[in-house]
Every structure is written in structure tokens, then in C-alpha cells.
Amino acid sequence: MKKIAVLTSGGDAPGMNAAIRAVVRKSIYHRLGIYGIRHGFAGLLNKELRPMELGSVADIIHRGGTILQTARSAEFMTQEGQEKAFAFLRKEDVENIVVIGGNGSFKGAKVLQDAGFNTVGVPATIDNDIPCTDFCIGFNTAINTVTDAINRVRDTATSHERIYVIEVMGRDSGQIALFAGLAGGAESIIVPEAPFDLGKVCSRLMRGVQRGKLHSIILVAEGAASGLHVGEEIERLTQLEVRVTILGHIQRGGTPTAFDRILASRMGSKAVDLLMEGWGGHIVGYHKGEIKAIPYEELFNSEKEFLWNVYDLAGILAI
Ligand code: F6P
């Protein structure tokens, strides 16, 4: 009987639990031995492997976070740490591993793959910064959380006739700012992918004020600039009253949307199919409604596409 182990690594994302559930249940359906590794790659070093049963994943499809816990392991990045992990997996007779996480986690998956294990990656990160997949698990939930926050801020912004700068997550990526900014009707969206000019942001704000707009919302991705700095600069340049809200980790929690649960269920299930068919060395990706297998080589040689048409549209609609 083939043994499959599943781990979650890097920053957590809503829908990771739905993905774990799919991996576990699909494995049980195929009568495979299924194990959970706690604390990501660190769990391989600390020998945190435990058998999973149907009941292990009961009542988790709607929960944010990850029941397997997650971590970023510096030790696994060392050769000594990796040897320790290989030895542990060989001793436990685990040859197949599903890695649920982001770009960093897939580098870890490739280390295992190169050492002779079969690994499949399942993209889960609110940043949605993984190439070769339109969506990552957790992103849809995060942009809904941010859109809801924008709605709330908009109420108080209108009452006080203020400008609000809202800083959102996205270490190297403006995807959250872009999509939530479009959904929330932000006046300006500042992302690391596009050059920005605070002078132009301020001119747009002033035009709005002259037209009688009661509030303005500027969305800033943390990877582009600090929200506090942007707020101070806008106040200095316009002499208008500005408040800054940093949404932080609330964007990573919460019950996953139906979209993320469905995506996670389909991706987790496909990961097991790939391992059964001997297709290690791939991630699963979502493109045009289909779940596909993408080889690690293609993943590591691709860049995340930035949707300039969406960015331009957000600018046009915010005139
Ligand atoms: O998971 C991605 C992410 O949320 C980034 O958007 C953010 O910069 C980072 O993780 C924060 O990580 P930590 O959990 O270490 O604060």
C-alpha cells in the first residue's frame, strides 16, 4: 500500500483545511495510507508524523488556519537538516508527499523531489503570487475580507469627509490590493508591480474633493510602500485630513469562501491523483476552470502575470 503524507507550510491561508480534508479523504477512498506532518518541513526534523483517518478531518472544511499547523523552517534549508528529513521519511517508508503552501514551500518540495521522493504542491497563499495558476487557495477569502473592511472604512470616511489609506498584505505582490481595490471602489491602488507617483495620487484626490466627493480610499500593498508613509505624504501634499488603517493578519484568518473551499477540494483531490499516477514534481494549478498539473521546472521559470487590464480598469472606474 502506498503511503502519502501531507503538510502545510509558510503563511497559512483560509481553505488550507479544506485542502487537507480533500487529500485525506481522496487517499482513504483509494485505500492509501495517509499521514499528516505537523509544522511543515520542521515536522520532518522533529518527527511529527501521525496517521490520519476520516474523523481527523471532520468538521474542518469551513475553518480558517490549518489543523496541521504551519512553520517556516530555517533548519530544513541546511544540507544537514535535509539529510535528517530524508532519513526520517525513509525510515517511515513515506515516498509521497503533498505540500500545501506558497513559493517557498515549493522550493522545499523540490528538495524532496530531487532526493527521490514524489511530491506534489498545492498552491495556498492569500498573496496569490504563484505563477501558472490563476488563483491560489485563500486569495478569494482574503479579498472578500479586505472588501468588507473597505466598506466599513468607507462609512466612517464619508461621515467625517476624510481620506483613508488602507495598507493590505502582499509581500511582493499587489494582487490583494488590486482585486479588493477594484471590488471596493478605491480611488487609487498602489502595488509593487506598477510605478506610482504620489503627486498624481494627490491630484486625483484634489479633483475628487473639488467635485464634492465626501471621501477617498487609497489601497496600498505592503510590498509597494508603507501605508503610514503614504498617509503622511498625502497629508503633507494636500493639507487634507488623512487616516491610515493597516489590516494586517486579519486578512489571513476567517472562514473560507465557497470558492476557496471548492478550489481546495479540487486541488487536494487532484494532488492525490497525480501521486497515484506517479506524477511527482508538479504543482496543481487552476486555469480557465480546469485543474491542471504544472511541472516544477515550468513553475520556477515563470513569473506571476500581473493583470494590467484589471489595473487599468480600476484606474478608469475611479475617475
Ligand atoms: O502569507 C503571505 C503573507 O501573509 C504576506 O502577505 C505577508 O507579508 C507575510 O505573509 C506575513 O508573514 P508573517 O506570518 O511572518 O507575519
Side-chain angles (χ1 to χ4, degrees), residues 11-12 72 125-127 169-171 222 249 252:
D12 64 349
R72 295 185 175 104
T125 163
I126 64 162
D127 285 3
M169 277 186 163
R171 201 175 6 215
E222 62 173 347
H249 290 80
R252 283 228 305 248

Side-chain angles (χ1 to χ4, degrees), residues 50 67 71 183 212 267 274 301:
R50 63 163 196 215
I67 58 159
M267 284 182 161
L274 290 178
N301 289 312

Side-chain angles (χ1 to χ4, degrees), residues 25-73:
R25 296 217 163 157
K26 189 71 179 285
S27 300
I28 292 171
Y29 173 81
H30 285 301
R31 300 179 189 283
L32 303 168
I34 176 73
Y35 293 77
I37 299 162
R38 294 191 60 185
H39 299 114
F41 293 98
L44 296 177
L45 309 172
N46 303 326
K47 305 184 170 48
E48 296 184 81
L49 186 78
R50 63 163 196 215
M52 304 286 277
E53 295 148 17
L54 282 178
S56 316
V57 291
D59 205 25
I60 64 166
I61 195 167
H62 61 299
R63 298 210 174 153
T66 160
I67 58 159
L68 290 176
Q69 315 294 126
T70 185
R72 295 185 175 104
S73 171

Side-chain angles (χ1 to χ4, degrees), residues 165-169 177 188-191 218-227 230:
V165 172
I166 302 180
E167 183 190 296
V168 298
M169 277 186 163
S188 291
I189 299 173
I190 297 176
V191 293
I218 321 287
L219 231 61
V220 183
E222 62 173 347
S226 135
V230 170

